[in-house]
Amino acid sequence: MRVLHFYKTYHPDSVGGVEQVIRQMAVGTGRLGVTNTVLSLSRHQNLAPFEFEGHMVHRVPLNAEIASNAISIQSIGALARLAREADVVHYHFPWPFMDLAHFMARVNKPTVVTYHSDIVRQRHLLRLYQPLKHRFLRSVDAIVATSPNYLGSSTVLARYPDKTSVIPFGLDRTTYPQPDPDRMAHWRERVGPKFFLFVGVLRYYKGLHILLEAAAGTDYPVVIVGAGPIEHELKEQAARLGLKNVLFVGAIDEPDKAALLTLCYAVSFPSHLRSEAFGISLLEGAMYGKPMISSEIGTGTTYINIDGDTGLVVPPSDALALRAAMRTLWDNPELARTMGRRAAARFEELFTSEQMAANYTALYHDLIARRATGSSTAALEQTEAGLSQTKV
């Protein structure tokens, strides 16, 4: 079985949450006999196809970007060509240009959409996009929400109950490197023995301005891993607040990230808007057995982190509540250890790559079977109609 994934960016161009999810899907389903191909956009010059962890990656030029909507005219032809070779086309929403490309490429294969997030920020443009969005969602064969929380709170998904199911994201611990002792010693010396960790792209919806406010007036060390569009303003805010306990380490490689996840005391994930539909780095914290702090925003973050069990959940945009949660974990090491153990157990129960891969592989097979049955039924109806006309 051959599956084509289509998204605006992928490794090695970027390493965000959606890219990590597609990677885990491709690696996990690949072990179950699925041949995966990823089509994405890129600013790089050398766009020759290459193999990455057992699947092929095809890239086309990124022509323009308008309100975070990546556009590539070349992707339409590439999508049409690669879709003809695939058994299933797997889209990753939201990306408005993808919806248009689907129709322009005249994709006529079984289709599934992983619904990563509602569109939250571009409200005026969203009004213009609504007709295309719903035409696209009506046209695909299946929609997958990433958590029951998001399915229950999305007004968009509520319109498609007959074609929407839930498959949580999953991670494969074996794909994460084991940091060597020297690397561990380097980070232990740099960040100290006990610290809160944030990992992610520094975007507007991550709530990092709230984390900085929460850290003000405390001596709790906070390590912020990642780069992104609001990095400069966050550093300016930290300087204004006189924060000496917050360390921005920028973008780091996977072994360094694994070292910090191993060493950290707890994970702080203050995302305050629904654009944060799941939280892959929050899930990484659970995988590493760390207690978590997150906000209640009606999305998958509270499916990963259960308040009072695997960590603490606070109201969004509430720096005082976030500070209080940090204090609770900081002052109660045994509670933190217990929550970390429960987080790891919940990860193994619900969020492994093996479970995600098995569920998606079953869905792919079901879509192919449904399409084949539908084609057979249509062919039979046409034959019967032809025989009836002949008799007349």
Side-chain angles (χ1 to χ4, degrees), residues 104-331:
M104 294 185 70
R106 299 182 179 181
V107 173
N108 188 27
K109 292 293 179 72
T111 49
V112 57
V113 170
T114 294
Y115 193 94
H116 291 266
S117 171
D118 293 331
I119 295 177
V120 176
R121 196 176 196 186
Q122 294 88 3
R123 294 188 179 275
H124 297 298
L125 293 175
L126 181 58
R127 294 193 187 97
L128 298 175
Y129 169 52
Q130 290 277 29
L132 174 61
K133 175 181 72 176
H134 287 294
R135 184 186 173 198
F136 172 69
L137 293 174
R138 284 193 302 269
S139 74
V140 299
D141 297 299
I143 301 171
V144 177
T146 59
S147 70
N149 304 49
Y150 213 89
L151 176 59
S153 62
S154 171
T155 57
V156 175
L157 293 178
R159 297 178 61 163
Y160 306 98
D162 295 338
K163 65 169 65 178
T164 303
S165 59
V166 175
I167 301 178
F169 293 147
L171 299 176
D172 182 354
R173 185 70 170 82
T174 66
T175 64
Y176 286 71
Q178 181 64 42
D180 60 70
D182 289 342
R183 194 180 299 256
M184 294 282 286
H186 161 78
W187 283 111
R188 190 177 289 109
E189 181 178 356
R190 185 175 178 188
V191 302
K194 186 177 178 181
F195 60 93
F196 291 97
L197 178 67
F198 169 86
V199 179
V201 180
L202 309 188
R203 301 189 189 280
Y204 70 95
Y205 59 83
K206 295 292 185 180
L208 287 165
H209 61 292
I210 305 160
L211 177 59
L212 295 182
E213 291 176 21
T218 77
D219 57 0
Y220 310 142
V222 176
V223 177
I224 296 176
V225 173
I230 65 167
E231 181 175 359
H232 181 69
E233 62 187 80
L234 288 172
K235 289 181 176 178
E236 285 188 337
Q237 180 189 1
R240 287 195 308 272
L241 293 172
L243 298 180
K244 304 299 184 184
N245 54 324
V246 175
L247 177 64
F248 292 88
V249 300
I252 59 177
D253 62 19
E254 287 297 303
D256 283 326
K257 184 178 80 169
L260 287 171
L261 282 165
T262 302
L263 292 171
C264 74
Y265 181 71
V267 168
S268 183
F269 198 77
S271 295
H272 64 303
L273 297 174
R274 281 181 59 80
S275 298
E276 190 68 78
F278 196 77
I280 291 298
S281 58
L282 189 66
L283 188 58
E284 289 174 331
M287 182 176 69
Y288 276 81
K290 304 298 178 176
M292 298 167 282
I293 303 174
S294 58
S295 299
E296 177 54 84
I297 51 178
T299 72
T301 61
T302 320
Y303 187 56
I304 299 169
N305 184 25
I306 306 301
D307 186 38
D309 186 58
T310 62
L312 299 172
V313 178
V314 300
S317 303
D318 190 334
L320 292 179
L322 179 56
R323 183 184 302 162
M326 295 170 73
R327 182 183 306 115
T328 296
L329 291 184
W330 191 265
D331 292 344

Side-chain angles (χ1 to χ4, degrees), residues 10-13 40-51 57-62:
Y10 191 57
H11 297 274
D13 295 80
S40 67
L41 280 51
S42 177
R43 298 182 186 276
H44 290 279
Q45 299 299 314
N46 180 15
L47 298 182
F50 64 95
E51 184 176 348
V57 179
H58 292 252
R59 296 183 293 172
V60 291
L62 170 63

Side-chain angles (χ1 to χ4, degrees), residues 31-106:
R31 292 171 178 161
L32 300 176
V34 177
T35 300
N36 288 279
T37 300
V38 178
L39 173 62
S40 67
L41 280 51
S42 177
R43 298 182 186 276
H44 290 279
Q45 299 299 314
N46 180 15
L47 298 182
F50 64 95
E51 184 176 348
F52 177 67
E53 296 187 342
H55 56 278
M56 292 301 299
V57 179
H58 292 252
R59 296 183 293 172
V60 291
L62 170 63
N63 303 140
E65 196 164 9
I66 302 172
S68 301
N69 185 33
I71 297 170
S72 169
I73 302 304
Q74 296 91 329
S75 70
I76 298 169
L79 175 60
R81 173 176 57 83
L82 292 171
R84 284 194 295 269
E85 301 170 359
D87 299 303
V88 175
V89 177
H90 192 149
Y91 295 113
H92 296 268
F93 182 98
W95 177 24
F97 177 77
M98 174 186 69
D99 306 11
L100 182 63
H102 165 75
F103 292 112
M104 294 185 70
R106 299 182 179 181

Side-chain angles (χ1 to χ4, degrees), residues 378-389:
L380 179 60
E381 290 173 349
Q382 290 175 359
T383 301
E384 291 175 345
L387 289 173
S388 298
Q389 291 173 2

